[in-house]
Amino acid sequence: MKRTDSLVFRLTAMVFILLAVTIAVILFLVNSQMDTHFTQYLQMAPRRGMGMGHHMMRGAAELQYVESIHRSLLWVGLGMTVISVGVSYIVVQKLVRPLLSLTEAVRSVQEGKFGQTVPVERMDEVGILAKTFNDMSTELEQNETMRRHLFASVAHELRTPLAIIQGNLEGMIDDVIPANKKMFLSMEDEVLRLGRLVQDLNDLSLAEIDKLVLHKERADINILLERAVSMLQPLCDEKELTVRLHLCPELPNVSIDVDRINQVVYNILNNAIRYINRGDTIAVTTERAVKEGKEYVLVSIADTGNGISPEDLPHIFQYFYRGEKSRSRKSGGSGIGLALAKQFVVSHGGLLDVESEVGKGTTFYIYLPLG
């Protein structure tokens, strides 16, 4: 970058020009006023030559006095200009210094070094810009971390069924494992699980870019919930869980993709059944609600389980995030269910919120828009 292209140089030059013009105008006016008032003074003085021309009233002493005043004003003007340029340069440089730090940080981010921040020393426009950059850089770092975690999680989830299929096939080829119907069914289960994971990832990507195709129809949300609870009743009976339905009979039908919302309800109910203790209770409630000026059908699914820790709660809708880190199939699924549920609800123009308190339970709120 050329020196003349520098913002410091341009602002200093602009301030210099403005001050120089201002000082020149002031000096011109002062000189003009001084000449006028000095001439008036001489006209009022009782001197010989009174009433003669303007130039005849000024002797050598008067001319020397006027010239000395002019020189003094000229030097004062030059001094003020030099001082103003120096002060403006210092002020402009101090103003621009945070921008130089910000430029270096932007270059670091451009090179892929996310998380770079700059000090925020003041809260003017430059300070707000620095704070906004810091927030952006931090978010980019978090997104990069999530991206790496996502790749690692996808690789982990794909590796298990592929390893099982490969092991079984190699065993059959080497005549170590019998090639019977039971083994083929076991391999089919792994293929289906792999296919479901790929389909879920595809649905998530489409939902995030608002390209997910929804086949909407008018449906009674109460009937949908009753069917979901009925289908999961054997799992509840196995853990001796109590499921209570509190369904508002006066709810209007909502325009939804029944299959997608069914998947949302199943994911949330399955999580509740999986993680709460034997003998706990699940309550499913429906009602009309108004949130941020919009009218919704609100579905609440509350359990009396152990709750979610405050450290895990902000992350439960992230891909492959699980509070239980071992990722064992016995304790949970892949960790994609809640992320998928949130995207499906958002694709309907709704909201999915959660509240949880350790030792008291967790409540999911599904807001489906009316109208």
Side-chain angles (χ1 to χ4, degrees), residues 239-300:
K239 291 187 69 173
E240 300 177 1
L241 303 177
T242 302
V243 181
R244 294 177 180 154
L245 294 174
H246 306 283
L247 307 179
C248 177
E250 301 175 355
L251 285 180
N253 291 344
V254 287
S255 179
I256 57 174
D257 185 322
V258 175
D259 291 335
R260 303 294 188 186
I261 298 302
N262 242 330
Q263 193 170 349
V264 172
V265 173
Y266 271 84
N267 282 338
I268 296 175
L269 285 174
N270 263 316
N271 275 352
I273 295 170
R274 180 182 294 124
Y275 291 112
I276 64 178
N277 300 320
R278 182 176 296 274
D280 282 344
T281 301
I282 299 174
V284 180
T285 307
T286 58
E287 59 183 308
R288 296 181 75 143
V290 176
K291 188 177 180 69
E292 298 176 354
K294 296 181 180 179
E295 195 172 8
Y296 297 90
V297 166
L298 171 60
V299 179
S300 304

Side-chain angles (χ1 to χ4, degrees), residues 5-161:
D5 293 333
S6 169
L7 188 60
V8 174
F9 178 84
R10 292 184 177 184
L11 289 176
T12 304
M14 181 181 69
V15 173
F16 166 73
I17 293 172
L18 291 175
L19 290 174
V21 171
T22 302
I23 292 171
V25 171
I26 292 174
L27 291 178
F28 173 78
L29 294 175
V30 169
N31 277 326
S32 176
Q33 289 294 314
M34 189 199 68
D35 275 345
T36 301
H37 290 297
F38 188 65
T39 301
Q40 291 176 353
Y41 168 75
L42 291 177
Q43 289 176 345
M44 293 171 61
R47 292 189 46 171
R48 194 187 330 181
M50 196 172 165
M52 299 178 64
H54 168 76
H55 296 286
M56 296 299 297
M57 292 187 296
R58 297 188 181 188
E62 286 82 359
L63 291 175
Q64 185 178 4
Y65 172 75
V66 171
E67 290 176 0
S68 67
I69 293 296
H70 287 175
R71 283 195 301 270
S72 298
L73 290 173
L74 179 61
W75 283 111
V76 168
L78 291 175
M80 290 176 62
T81 303
V82 172
I83 293 173
S84 63
V85 170
V87 171
S88 63
Y89 177 79
I90 294 173
V91 172
V92 170
Q93 193 176 45
K94 185 177 180 181
L95 178 69
V96 174
R97 188 180 298 117
L99 295 178
L100 299 177
S101 301
L102 189 60
T103 301
E104 294 299 321
V106 169
R107 287 174 180 167
S108 297
V109 171
Q110 186 180 20
E111 295 171 359
K113 301 175 183 177
F114 303 119
Q116 300 291 323
T117 58
V118 295
V120 181
E121 300 174 351
R122 55 182 189 261
M123 286 309 297
D124 56 4
E125 288 81 357
V126 176
I128 293 174
L129 176 62
K131 185 178 183 303
T132 304
F133 170 81
N134 290 343
D135 294 341
M136 181 199 69
S137 181
T138 302
E139 187 171 349
L140 284 174
E141 184 181 32
Q142 293 174 350
N143 290 341
E144 178 66 13
T145 302
M146 288 177 59
R147 184 183 67 84
R148 293 175 180 174
H149 177 69
L150 174 62
F151 287 160
S153 298
V154 170
H156 174 86
E157 294 297 330
L158 294 178
R159 187 185 300 118
T160 301

